[in-house]
Amino acid sequence: MKLKMSLRKKQRLIMLLEMAAVILFLVGVLKTNRRIEMYGVLAILAAFTVDFKLWRCPHCTGYLGRRPGKCCRFCGKEVDYDAVPQDGDGK
């Protein structure tokens, strides 16, 4: 199943998940609650998995990385971060 959202929206979703996971972990640390701390660690791992799965070039499906540029570093094509993929776009 592919998400029909622009890369910009995917980036916001990923950042929100990562921030929520880190906050959960920090709450566990500050409250000295091991269970919440472990849930935070699991949430961080899940957020990075979502990041690796969604943050892909629409042309070649290569991972865009933490600091993407205007062009994909794998295929060299320009990446439009605001375009919503249509049926048949990407791989």
Side-chain angles (χ1 to χ4, degrees):
M1 180 182 103
K2 285 195 154 203
L3 291 177
K4 298 290 183 186
M5 61 174 52
S6 69
L7 284 172
R8 187 98 45 222
K9 284 186 180 181
K10 288 179 183 180
Q11 183 181 37
R12 289 184 189 129
L13 174 67
I14 291 165
M15 289 175 65
L16 182 67
L17 287 173
E18 289 173 349
M19 287 188 311
V22 169
I23 289 170
L24 182 64
F25 175 74
L26 291 176
V27 165
V29 169
L30 293 174
K31 295 276 188 182
T32 60
N33 187 327
R34 281 280 200 227
R35 182 174 289 170
I36 294 175
E37 197 175 318
M38 289 309 298
Y39 287 146
V41 169
L42 291 174
I44 289 170
L45 292 174
F48 283 122
T49 301
V50 169
D51 173 42
F52 189 73
K53 206 69 170 133
L54 291 182
W55 195 236
R56 299 271 173 184
C57 172
H59 306 291
C60 72
T61 68
Y63 180 64
L64 292 172
R66 300 307 276 168
R67 294 184 181 183
K70 290 178 78 173
C71 298
C72 173
R73 62 183 166 183
F74 296 105
C75 67
K77 293 183 180 176
E78 188 172 335
V79 178
D80 183 3
Y81 293 97
D82 295 315
V84 177
Q86 303 299 319
D87 289 333
D89 285 356
K91 296 195 178 190

